[in-house]
Amino acid sequence: MLLPMLSIPLLASQLTIADPAGDARGDGGYILPTRPAVTAEMLDLRAFAADSSGDTMRFTVSFGQMGNPWNAPSGFSAGVTDIFIKGALGGQQVLADTGLRVREQGGWQYHLRVTGTGATLHEANTLGTLTTRAAPTVQVQGTSLIIDAAVPAGNYGYWVTNSVYTPLSAGGLLKPGPGTQPTALQAGRTGAPTPVDVLAAAGDTQAFTNDTLAAVGETRDWVSIALIVLGGLGLLITVIATAVVWRGPSRS
């Protein structure tokens, strides 16, 4: 769950959102694997920042601890961080293979996935068709990941999740389940969402009750609003023109 740190005006170049400590256990009942040893702090989202001061976006994701249980050369390997970026029109409503869906109308246009073995960026068009874009670059800075991605600079809404990493799945996600072996991520119900931590408004637990997640950041669809306003102006002009024609020329 998140705690807003700053009130960001529409044209601001940076959005920063903090997340409380100690909530990296899904619905509160997830039991993390012990082989390799993964601590909740390694998976605990603490802050998310989006910087649009350049031509493209830079994201900073901070954790309670920078863990590397799989000894990846990158210096981190505990989690899989997914950043979904809200599109102006259309997009995908399913948040990839996390087991979550967007709660709002519309969907995501860009999806970044970051693991200790690499990062990917996909773009969805208005019909939801995916295109692979240039891979983001990722740096470790203390307990944060600095991610530079080929996403046009702008103010966006975001869905951000963090899951347990495993090299044994295609997407790198360790799915929760009923297993009790040391390598398992245990959850209290079948089909529980994969993330162990999400950015969500304070008190919002719907990610782990009805499997939906609300966007944070700039969540208004300004393109749709502009189209509605323009449509209204067009209708008003048509009505005025019709009234003028109906009245006809004035007579002396």
Side-chain angles (χ1 to χ4, degrees):
M1 294 180 295
L2 65 86
L3 177 65
M5 292 178 64
L6 297 175
S7 177
I8 306 297
L10 178 61
L11 299 178
S13 63
Q14 179 142 359
L15 168 76
T16 304
I17 298 173
D19 193 78
D23 61 346
R25 293 190 181 276
D27 61 5
Y30 284 25
I31 299 176
L32 300 177
T34 57
R35 187 185 302 166
V38 179
T39 68
E41 288 76 15
M42 296 178 186
L43 302 164
D44 194 2
L45 293 170
R46 296 293 177 87
F48 170 76
D51 185 356
S52 61
S53 57
D55 294 331
T56 56
M57 296 298 296
R58 165 170 282 192
F59 305 105
T60 303
V61 185
S62 301
F63 306 90
Q65 179 183 354
M66 187 57 65
N68 193 13
W70 293 97
N71 296 315
S74 61
F76 67 97
S77 61
V80 178
T81 301
D82 285 294
I83 303 171
F84 300 89
I85 303 173
K86 187 173 176 61
L89 293 172
Q92 292 270 8
Q93 292 197 321
V94 175
L95 297 178
D97 50 356
T98 64
L100 296 173
R101 295 177 60 86
V102 306
R103 195 174 304 161
E104 303 85 351
Q105 183 179 4
W108 58 265
Q109 182 178 358
Y110 298 98
H111 171 209
L112 289 83
R113 172 162 290 179
V114 179
T115 74
T117 59
T120 58
L121 172 63
H122 291 94
E123 180 179 2
N125 64 16
T126 56
L127 299 177
T129 304
L130 298 182
T131 302
T132 300
R133 298 304 184 193
T137 61
V138 183
Q139 308 171 54
V140 177
Q141 188 174 95
T143 60
S144 300
L145 298 178
I146 312 299
I147 307 160
D148 289 296
V151 175
N155 294 323
Y156 297 100
Y158 300 94
W159 298 271
V160 182
T161 70
N162 203 44
S163 306
V164 180
Y165 172 74
T166 176
L168 305 179
S169 74
L173 301 179
L174 181 60
K175 301 287 186 179
T180 58
Q181 61 269 35
T183 56
L185 172 62
Q186 299 178 51
R189 67 179 175 94
T190 302
T194 297
V196 296
D197 198 4
V198 299
L199 285 180
D204 181 358
T205 61
Q206 293 187 60
F208 302 102
T209 56
N210 66 14
D211 303 341
T212 66
L213 185 62
V216 300
E218 181 51 72
T219 58
R220 290 187 179 90
D221 188 344
W222 292 108
V223 172
S224 295
I225 292 173
L227 290 174
I228 292 171
V229 171
L230 289 174
L233 289 174
L235 178 60
L236 179 61
I237 292 171
T238 301
V239 170
I240 293 173
T242 301
V244 170
V245 171
W246 181 77
R247 291 180 60 186
S250 60
R251 295 180 175 86
S252 56

Coordinates of all heavy atoms in Angstrom, one line a residue, residues 172-229:
G172 N 10.0 -15.5 -15.0 CA 10.8 -15.3 -13.8 C 10.0 -15.2 -12.5 O 10.5 -15.0 -11.4
L173 N 8.6 -15.3 -12.6 CA 7.8 -15.2 -11.5 C 7.6 -16.5 -10.8 O 7.3 -17.5 -11.4 CB 6.4 -14.7 -11.9 CG 6.3 -13.3 -12.6 CD1 4.8 -13.0 -13.0 CD2 6.9 -12.2 -11.8
L174 N 7.7 -16.5 -9.4 CA 7.4 -17.6 -8.6 C 5.9 -17.5 -8.2 O 5.5 -16.6 -7.5 CB 8.3 -17.7 -7.4 CG 8.0 -18.9 -6.4 CD1 8.3 -20.2 -7.1 CD2 8.9 -18.7 -5.2
K175 N 5.1 -18.4 -8.8 CA 3.7 -18.4 -8.5 C 3.4 -18.9 -7.1 O 3.9 -19.9 -6.7 CB 2.9 -19.3 -9.5 CG 3.2 -18.9 -11.0 CD 2.4 -17.6 -11.3 CE 2.5 -17.2 -12.8 NZ 1.7 -16.0 -13.1
P176 N 2.4 -18.3 -6.4 CA 2.1 -18.8 -5.1 C 1.2 -20.0 -5.2 O 0.5 -20.2 -6.2 CB 1.3 -17.6 -4.5 CG 0.8 -16.9 -5.6 CD 1.8 -17.0 -6.7
G177 N 1.2 -20.9 -4.2 CA 0.5 -22.1 -4.2 C 0.4 -22.8 -2.9 O 0.9 -22.2 -1.9
P178 N -0.2 -24.0 -2.8 CA -0.3 -24.7 -1.5 C 0.9 -25.4 -1.1 O 0.9 -26.0 0.0 CB -1.5 -25.6 -1.8 CG -1.4 -25.9 -3.2 CD -0.9 -24.7 -3.9
G179 N 1.9 -25.5 -1.9 CA 3.1 -26.3 -1.6 C 3.8 -25.8 -0.3 O 3.8 -24.6 -0.1
T180 N 4.4 -26.7 0.4 CA 5.1 -26.4 1.6 C 6.6 -26.6 1.5 O 7.3 -26.5 2.5 CB 4.6 -27.2 2.8 OG1 4.7 -28.6 2.5 CG2 3.1 -26.9 3.0
Q181 N 7.1 -27.0 0.4 CA 8.5 -27.2 0.2 C 9.3 -25.9 0.4 O 8.7 -24.8 0.2 CB 8.9 -27.9 -1.1 CG 8.4 -27.1 -2.3 CD 7.1 -27.4 -2.8 OE1 6.2 -27.7 -2.0 NE2 6.9 -27.4 -4.1
P182 N 10.6 -26.0 0.7 CA 11.4 -24.7 1.0 C 11.4 -23.8 -0.2 O 11.6 -22.6 0.0 CB 12.8 -25.3 1.3 CG 12.5 -26.7 1.8 CD 11.4 -27.2 1.0
T183 N 11.2 -24.3 -1.4 CA 11.4 -23.4 -2.6 C 10.0 -22.8 -3.0 O 9.9 -22.0 -3.9 CB 11.9 -24.2 -3.8 OG1 11.0 -25.3 -4.0 CG2 13.3 -24.7 -3.5
A184 N 8.9 -23.1 -2.2 CA 7.6 -22.6 -2.6 C 7.3 -21.3 -2.0 O 7.7 -20.9 -0.9 CB 6.6 -23.7 -2.2
L185 N 6.4 -20.5 -2.7 CA 5.8 -19.3 -2.1 C 4.3 -19.8 -1.8 O 3.5 -20.1 -2.6 CB 5.7 -18.2 -3.2 CG 4.9 -17.0 -2.8 CD1 5.5 -16.3 -1.6 CD2 4.8 -16.0 -4.0
Q186 N 4.1 -19.8 -0.5 CA 2.8 -20.3 0.0 C 1.8 -19.2 0.1 O 2.0 -18.1 0.6 CB 3.0 -21.0 1.3 CG 4.0 -22.2 1.3 CD 4.2 -22.8 2.7 OE1 3.2 -23.1 3.4 NE2 5.4 -22.9 3.1
A187 N 0.5 -19.5 -0.3 CA -0.6 -18.6 -0.2 C -1.8 -19.4 0.3 O -1.9 -20.6 0.2 CB -0.9 -18.0 -1.5
G188 N -2.8 -18.6 0.8 CA -3.9 -19.3 1.5 C -5.0 -19.7 0.5 O -6.0 -20.3 1.0
R189 N -4.9 -19.3 -0.7 CA -6.0 -19.7 -1.7 C -5.4 -20.0 -3.0 O -4.3 -19.5 -3.4 CB -7.0 -18.6 -1.8 CG -6.5 -17.3 -2.5 CD -7.7 -16.3 -2.6 NE -7.3 -15.0 -3.1 CZ -7.3 -14.6 -4.4 NH1 -7.8 -15.5 -5.3 NH2 -6.9 -13.4 -4.8
T190 N -6.0 -20.9 -3.8 CA -5.6 -21.2 -5.1 C -5.8 -20.0 -6.1 O -6.8 -19.3 -6.0 CB -6.4 -22.4 -5.6 OG1 -6.2 -23.5 -4.7 CG2 -5.9 -22.8 -7.0
G191 N -4.9 -19.8 -6.9 CA -5.0 -18.7 -7.9 C -4.7 -17.3 -7.3 O -5.1 -16.3 -7.9
A192 N -4.1 -17.3 -6.2 CA -3.7 -16.0 -5.6 C -2.8 -15.2 -6.5 O -2.0 -15.8 -7.2 CB -3.1 -16.2 -4.2
P193 N -2.9 -13.9 -6.5 CA -2.0 -13.1 -7.3 C -0.5 -13.3 -7.0 O -0.1 -13.6 -5.8 CB -2.3 -11.6 -7.0 CG -3.7 -11.7 -6.4 CD -3.8 -13.0 -5.7
T194 N 0.3 -13.2 -8.0 CA 1.8 -13.5 -7.8 C 2.5 -12.4 -7.0 O 3.4 -12.8 -6.2 CB 2.4 -13.6 -9.2 OG1 1.9 -14.8 -9.9 CG2 3.9 -13.8 -9.1
P195 N 2.2 -11.1 -7.1 CA 3.0 -10.1 -6.4 C 2.8 -10.3 -4.9 O 1.8 -10.7 -4.4 CB 2.3 -8.8 -6.8 CG 1.8 -9.1 -8.2 CD 1.2 -10.5 -8.1
V196 N 3.9 -10.0 -4.2 CA 3.9 -10.0 -2.7 C 3.7 -8.6 -2.2 O 3.4 -8.4 -1.0 CB 5.1 -10.7 -2.1 CG1 5.2 -12.2 -2.5 CG2 6.4 -10.0 -2.6
D197 N 3.9 -7.6 -3.1 CA 3.7 -6.2 -2.7 C 3.3 -5.4 -3.9 O 3.7 -5.7 -5.0 CB 5.0 -5.6 -2.1 CG 4.8 -4.3 -1.3 OD1 3.6 -4.0 -1.1 OD2 5.8 -3.7 -0.9
V198 N 2.4 -4.5 -3.7 CA 1.9 -3.6 -4.8 C 1.8 -2.2 -4.3 O 1.7 -1.9 -3.1 CB 0.5 -4.1 -5.3 CG1 0.5 -5.5 -5.8 CG2 -0.6 -4.0 -4.2
L199 N 1.9 -1.2 -5.2 CA 1.6 0.2 -4.8 C 0.0 0.3 -4.9 O -0.5 0.2 -6.0 CB 2.2 1.1 -5.8 CG 3.7 1.3 -5.6 CD1 4.2 2.3 -6.7 CD2 4.1 1.8 -4.2
A200 N -0.6 0.7 -3.8 CA -2.0 0.8 -3.8 C -2.4 1.9 -2.7 O -1.6 2.1 -1.7 CB -2.7 -0.5 -3.5
A201 N -3.5 2.5 -2.8 CA -3.9 3.5 -1.9 C -4.0 2.9 -0.5 O -4.3 1.7 -0.3 CB -5.2 4.1 -2.3
A202 N -3.8 3.7 0.5 CA -3.9 3.2 1.9 C -5.2 2.6 2.2 O -6.3 3.2 1.9 CB -3.6 4.4 2.9
G203 N -5.2 1.4 2.7 CA -6.4 0.6 3.0 C -7.0 -0.1 1.9 O -8.0 -0.8 2.0
D204 N -6.4 0.0 0.7 CA -6.9 -0.7 -0.5 C -6.3 -2.1 -0.6 O -5.1 -2.2 -0.9 CB -6.6 0.1 -1.8 CG -7.1 -0.6 -3.0 OD1 -7.7 -1.7 -2.9 OD2 -6.9 0.0 -4.1
T205 N -7.1 -3.1 -0.3 CA -6.6 -4.5 -0.3 C -7.2 -5.3 -1.4 O -7.1 -6.5 -1.4 CB -7.0 -5.2 1.1 OG1 -8.4 -5.2 1.2 CG2 -6.3 -4.5 2.2
Q206 N -7.8 -4.6 -2.4 CA -8.5 -5.4 -3.4 C -7.6 -6.2 -4.3 O -8.1 -7.1 -5.0 CB -9.4 -4.4 -4.3 CG -10.5 -3.8 -3.5 CD -11.4 -3.0 -4.4 OE1 -12.0 -3.5 -5.4 NE2 -11.6 -1.7 -4.1
A207 N -6.3 -5.8 -4.4 CA -5.4 -6.6 -5.2 C -5.4 -8.1 -4.7 O -5.2 -9.0 -5.5 CB -4.0 -6.0 -5.1
F208 N -5.6 -8.3 -3.4 CA -5.6 -9.6 -2.9 C -6.9 -10.2 -2.5 O -7.0 -11.3 -1.9 CB -4.6 -9.7 -1.7 CG -3.2 -9.2 -2.1 CD1 -2.8 -7.9 -1.8 CD2 -2.4 -10.1 -2.8 CE1 -1.5 -7.5 -2.2 CE2 -1.1 -9.6 -3.2 CZ -0.7 -8.4 -2.9
T209 N -8.0 -9.5 -2.8 CA -9.4 -10.0 -2.6 C -10.1 -10.2 -3.9 O -10.8 -11.2 -4.0 CB -10.1 -9.0 -1.6 OG1 -10.2 -7.7 -2.2 CG2 -9.5 -9.0 -0.3
N210 N -10.1 -9.2 -4.8 CA -10.8 -9.4 -6.1 C -9.8 -9.3 -7.3 O -10.3 -9.2 -8.4 CB -11.9 -8.4 -6.2 CG -11.5 -7.0 -6.3 OD1 -10.3 -6.7 -6.5 ND2 -12.5 -6.1 -6.2
D211 N -8.5 -9.3 -7.0 CA -7.5 -9.4 -8.0 C -7.5 -8.2 -9.0 O -7.1 -8.3 -10.1 CB -7.6 -10.7 -8.8 CG -7.6 -11.9 -8.0 OD1 -7.1 -11.8 -6.8 OD2 -8.1 -13.0 -8.4
T212 N -7.8 -7.0 -8.5 CA -7.7 -5.8 -9.3 C -6.8 -4.8 -8.6 O -6.8 -4.7 -7.4 CB -9.1 -5.2 -9.5 OG1 -9.7 -4.7 -8.3 CG2 -10.1 -6.1 -10.2
L213 N -6.2 -4.0 -9.4 CA -5.3 -3.0 -8.9 C -5.6 -1.6 -9.5 O -5.7 -1.5 -10.7 CB -3.8 -3.4 -9.2 CG -2.7 -2.5 -8.6 CD1 -2.8 -2.5 -7.1 CD2 -1.3 -3.0 -9.1
A214 N -5.6 -0.6 -8.7 CA -5.9 0.8 -9.2 C -4.6 1.5 -9.5 O -3.5 1.2 -8.9 CB -6.6 1.6 -8.1
A215 N -4.6 2.3 -10.6 CA -3.4 3.0 -11.0 C -3.1 4.1 -10.0 O -4.0 4.7 -9.3 CB -3.6 3.6 -12.4
V216 N -1.8 4.5 -9.9 CA -1.4 5.6 -9.0 C -0.8 6.7 -10.0 O -0.4 6.3 -11.1 CB -0.4 5.2 -7.9 CG1 -1.1 4.2 -7.0 CG2 0.8 4.6 -8.5
G217 N -0.6 7.9 -9.5 CA 0.0 8.9 -10.3 C -1.1 9.7 -11.1 O -2.2 9.9 -10.6
E218 N -0.8 10.1 -12.3 CA -1.7 10.8 -13.2 C -2.7 9.8 -13.8 O -2.4 9.2 -14.8 CB -1.0 11.6 -14.2 CG -1.9 12.5 -15.1 CD -2.8 13.3 -14.3 OE1 -2.4 14.3 -13.7 OE2 -4.0 13.0 -14.3
T219 N -3.9 9.7 -13.2 CA -4.8 8.6 -13.7 C -5.9 9.2 -14.6 O -6.7 8.4 -15.1 CB -5.5 8.0 -12.5 OG1 -6.2 9.0 -11.7 CG2 -4.4 7.3 -11.6
R220 N -6.0 10.5 -14.8 CA -7.0 11.0 -15.7 C -6.6 10.7 -17.2 O -5.4 10.8 -17.5 CB -7.1 12.5 -15.5 CG -7.8 12.9 -14.2 CD -8.1 14.4 -14.2 NE -8.7 14.9 -13.0 CZ -8.1 15.3 -11.9 NH1 -6.7 15.3 -11.9 NH2 -8.7 15.7 -10.9
D221 N -7.6 10.4 -18.0 CA -7.3 10.2 -19.4 C -7.6 11.5 -20.1 O -8.7 11.8 -20.6 CB -8.3 9.1 -19.9 CG -8.0 8.7 -21.3 OD1 -7.3 9.4 -22.0 OD2 -8.5 7.6 -21.7
W222 N -6.5 12.3 -20.2 CA -6.7 13.7 -20.8 C -7.0 13.6 -22.3 O -7.7 14.5 -22.8 CB -5.4 14.5 -20.6 CG -5.2 14.8 -19.1 CD1 -4.2 14.2 -18.3 CD2 -5.9 15.7 -18.3 NE1 -4.4 14.8 -17.0 CE2 -5.4 15.7 -17.0 CE3 -7.0 16.6 -18.6 CZ2 -5.9 16.4 -16.0 CZ3 -7.5 17.3 -17.6 CH2 -6.9 17.3 -16.3
V223 N -6.6 12.6 -23.0 CA -6.9 12.6 -24.4 C -8.4 12.3 -24.6 O -9.1 13.0 -25.4 CB -6.1 11.4 -25.1 CG1 -6.6 11.2 -26.5 CG2 -4.7 11.7 -25.1
S224 N -9.0 11.4 -23.8 CA -10.4 11.2 -23.9 C -11.2 12.4 -23.5 O -12.2 12.7 -24.1 CB -10.8 10.0 -23.0 OG -10.2 8.8 -23.5
I225 N -10.7 13.0 -22.4 CA -11.4 14.3 -21.9 C -11.4 15.3 -23.0 O -12.4 16.0 -23.3 CB -10.8 14.8 -20.6 CG1 -11.0 13.8 -19.5 CG2 -11.3 16.2 -20.3 CD1 -10.3 14.1 -18.2
A226 N -10.3 15.5 -23.7 CA -10.2 16.5 -24.8 C -11.1 16.2 -25.9 O -11.8 17.0 -26.5 CB -8.7 16.6 -25.3
L227 N -11.2 14.9 -26.3 CA -12.1 14.5 -27.3 C -13.6 14.7 -27.0 O -14.3 15.2 -27.8 CB -11.9 13.0 -27.7 CG -10.6 12.6 -28.3 CD1 -10.4 11.1 -28.4 CD2 -10.4 13.3 -29.7
I228 N -13.9 14.5 -25.7 CA -15.3 14.8 -25.3 C -15.6 16.3 -25.3 O -16.6 16.7 -25.8 CB -15.5 14.2 -23.8 CG1 -15.4 12.7 -23.8 CG2 -16.8 14.7 -23.3 CD1 -15.4 12.1 -22.5
V229 N -14.6 17.1 -24.9 CA -14.8 18.5 -24.9 C -15.0 19.0 -26.4 O -15.8 19.8 -26.7 CB -13.6 19.3 -24.2 CG1 -13.7 20.7 -24.4 CG2 -13.7 18.9 -22.7

